[in-house]
Amino acid sequence: MKEIKRPFFTVVMPAYGVEQYLEDAVESIRTQSFADWELVIVDDGSPDGTGRLADRLEKKDERIRVIHHPQNRGLSEARNTGIDVAKGRYIWFMDPDDRVDPDLLEKVYLSLKENPAQLVIFGHTEEYYDADGRLNYTHRILPEKKRFSTKGELRPYVIRLEQETIYGYAWNKMYSLDYIREKKLRFETVTLIEDIVFNIQYCMDIESMNILDITPYHYAKRMEGSLTTKFVPDYYELHERRIRMLYEQQQYWHTDTEETCAVLGSLYGRYILSALERNCDKRSGMKHKDRKAFCKSVFGSPLFRALIPKAQAQDSRALKIALRLMKSGNIASCLALGRAVHIIRSGMPMLYSKVKSER
């Protein structure tokens, strides 16, 4: 029986309510200098014309396939549908409202020719758009070029990826499809942290990884009214899980050194500070006594006691202050700092996002 030729890349593009952006995203794939790819658009029960547009785009290029979910099932399930039908050697999950440079696939392919890795990571450019859709400013995340061929080489480096805000995304990585299927990996349906949960599970036992010093992915961050419009009630619980999973991974690898714990403690402190700010939002329904009880609970947790005493902030003045207050157990001052950050975020959201992106 003749073996069916596999495309080198499968691009999975979950699409929901992105009618105004989808065609540009798809066109940035169709114009790639490397042509051996397939694109799977998963219309996740979109209420607008996204599904109809996807069908029209499918007719323009035989390498495009469209799958329709009759009802909205969420980002993770749309990606899982892509995993199930993908044919490529490597799989990439691109967002439908972003775009990429035309030589991305070629550069990834060439790196894999040099080192056939299980994971390829590249940088990106954050593009911040105001409420009127105008580009306000950009911020590049440029990693250092690396090639890893053993577990011993790559494992100590992973914490640096998290520190540089590179580890937690799915769209800046290309994964071995065979490895995903061998490990029976799936995206979990969980708010905010579905990407990092998947990446931690994927990277647990990989042996090879390429990091490219390029920023071909243009990640659109649209304010659409205000940064404060989205509120996640379980923000802290989700990010506490993120830090706990990262810590457990480091323990599994036996790389939980003082230096690693200092980095994780700093990241954890940042999430605690963000939670303190969010607790001041009216939508939290929290009163002063509730915010005080939250602090006591967090400060008494095993994860806090393991990481915060070792935490070291580098460039962020606000985080340095926050960590000093957390280490001292000064609840009143921590609550006051959370309130101050909330006032800045509510009154000047674009400034807040700019300072945060360049932390």
Side-chain angles (χ1 to χ4, degrees):
M1 185 175 179
K2 187 177 180 180
E3 184 178 354
I4 299 175
K5 183 181 182 301
R6 300 175 67 180
F8 197 84
F9 296 107
T10 293
V11 184
V12 174
M13 190 177 291
Y16 178 81
V18 289
E19 184 178 6
Q20 67 184 113
Y21 307 117
L22 181 63
E23 188 164 9
D24 287 343
V26 171
E27 195 61 23
S28 75
I29 300 301
R30 293 189 65 232
T31 55
Q32 288 292 307
S33 56
F34 184 86
D36 190 14
W37 53 263
E38 65 167 350
L39 169 60
V40 178
I41 303 173
V42 183
D43 167 36
D44 192 28
S46 294
D48 61 357
T50 294
R52 293 187 296 274
L53 173 59
D55 288 337
R56 291 198 298 272
L57 294 172
E58 181 181 33
K59 294 175 182 177
K60 294 173 65 175
D61 197 311
E62 62 182 8
R63 296 170 294 180
I64 299 176
R65 286 188 285 158
V66 178
I67 297 175
H68 296 279
H69 285 175
Q71 296 178 328
N72 178 249
R73 292 162 56 184
L75 174 63
S76 291
E77 283 305 311
R79 286 173 172 172
N80 290 337
T81 293
I83 291 173
D84 291 338
V85 304
K87 299 176 182 176
R89 298 183 184 183
Y90 287 84
I91 189 168
W92 170 37
F93 304 96
M94 179 182 172
D95 282 357
D97 55 349
D98 297 331
R99 57 188 176 84
V100 293
D101 291 345
D103 58 353
L104 168 59
L105 294 183
E106 181 179 5
K107 288 182 175 179
V108 172
Y109 173 77
L110 292 174
S111 82
L112 288 167
K113 284 297 182 183
E114 295 177 11
N115 184 41
Q118 293 162 302
L119 181 67
V120 179
I121 302 175
F122 43 86
H124 64 277
T125 300
E126 296 175 349
E127 298 181 344
Y128 288 79
Y129 294 86
D130 63 20
D132 296 320
R134 292 187 297 264
L135 180 62
N136 192 285
Y137 69 94
T138 62
H139 179 233
R140 294 175 75 223
I141 306 292
L142 178 64
E144 184 179 354
K145 184 177 180 179
K146 294 284 184 180
R147 298 283 187 272
F148 300 103
S149 300
T150 67
K151 293 178 180 179
E153 292 175 344
L154 75 84
R155 287 178 171 179
Y157 198 81
V158 166
I159 192 64
R160 180 170 173 179
L161 297 177
E162 173 66 5
Q163 191 176 21
E164 296 175 351
T165 68
I166 294 173
Y167 195 32
Y169 298 119
W171 39 254
N172 68 343
K173 298 174 180 65
M174 297 198 185
Y175 309 84
S176 164
L177 180 60
D178 290 342
Y179 188 78
I180 287 176
R181 289 175 173 166
E182 174 192 335
K183 295 295 183 179
K184 298 180 172 60
L185 297 175
R186 310 291 283 178
F187 280 91
E188 180 182 334
T189 298
V190 57
T191 307
L192 293 180
I193 61 170
E194 59 269 279
D195 287 16
I196 187 65
V197 169
F198 182 85
N199 288 337
I200 289 172
Q201 293 170 344
Y202 183 90
C203 291
M204 198 65 80
D205 291 303
I206 64 171
E207 299 181 352
S208 53
M209 177 172 67
N210 295 347
I211 304 175
L212 309 187
D213 56 344
I214 56 176
T215 57
Y217 194 95
H218 298 265
Y219 174 37
K221 304 192 79 168
R222 297 181 171 89
M223 301 309 152
E224 296 179 348
S226 170
L227 284 176
T228 61
T229 55
K230 295 181 181 179
F231 184 80
V232 181
D234 52 349
Y235 173 90
Y236 171 75
E237 289 76 13
L238 291 167
H239 286 88
E240 189 270 349
R241 180 186 174 192
R242 177 189 189 125
I243 295 297
R244 178 163 39 84
M245 289 185 69
L246 288 165
Y247 185 39
E248 289 171 351
Q249 183 173 61
Q250 295 295 322
Q251 291 176 312
Y252 174 73
W253 287 345
H254 302 293
T255 53
D256 51 327
T257 62
E258 288 289 320
E259 182 180 358
T260 297
C261 289
V263 172
L264 278 176
S266 174
L267 296 170
Y268 185 29
R270 182 174 285 117
Y271 291 131
I272 294 172
L273 178 59
S274 292
L276 291 172
E277 180 274 319
R278 283 167 171 80
N279 289 349
C280 296
D281 193 301
K282 291 180 179 179
R283 289 168 291 184
S284 72
M286 297 179 73
K287 298 180 180 179
H288 179 76
K289 65 176 183 179
D290 301 315
R291 292 190 286 271
K292 186 175 180 180
F294 169 83
C295 265
K296 286 184 177 180
S297 174
V298 171
F299 289 7
S301 70
L303 189 64
F304 184 95
R305 292 197 298 267
L307 295 179
I308 293 299
K310 301 174 183 178
Q312 294 180 8
Q314 294 182 342
D315 301 323
S316 172
R317 183 177 300 177
L319 183 59
K320 287 181 181 179
I321 296 171
L323 288 175
R324 190 180 308 124
L325 296 176
M326 290 175 196
K327 291 177 182 181
S328 70
N330 192 326
I331 291 177
S333 296
C334 285
L335 293 177
L337 181 59
R339 172 65 68 181
V341 175
H342 180 68
I343 291 171
I344 295 172
R345 188 183 190 205
S346 301
M348 296 174 284
M350 188 62 74
L351 174 62
Y352 172 85
S353 69
K354 188 172 184 178
V355 171
K356 184 178 180 182
S357 71
E358 296 176 349
R359 61 180 182 264

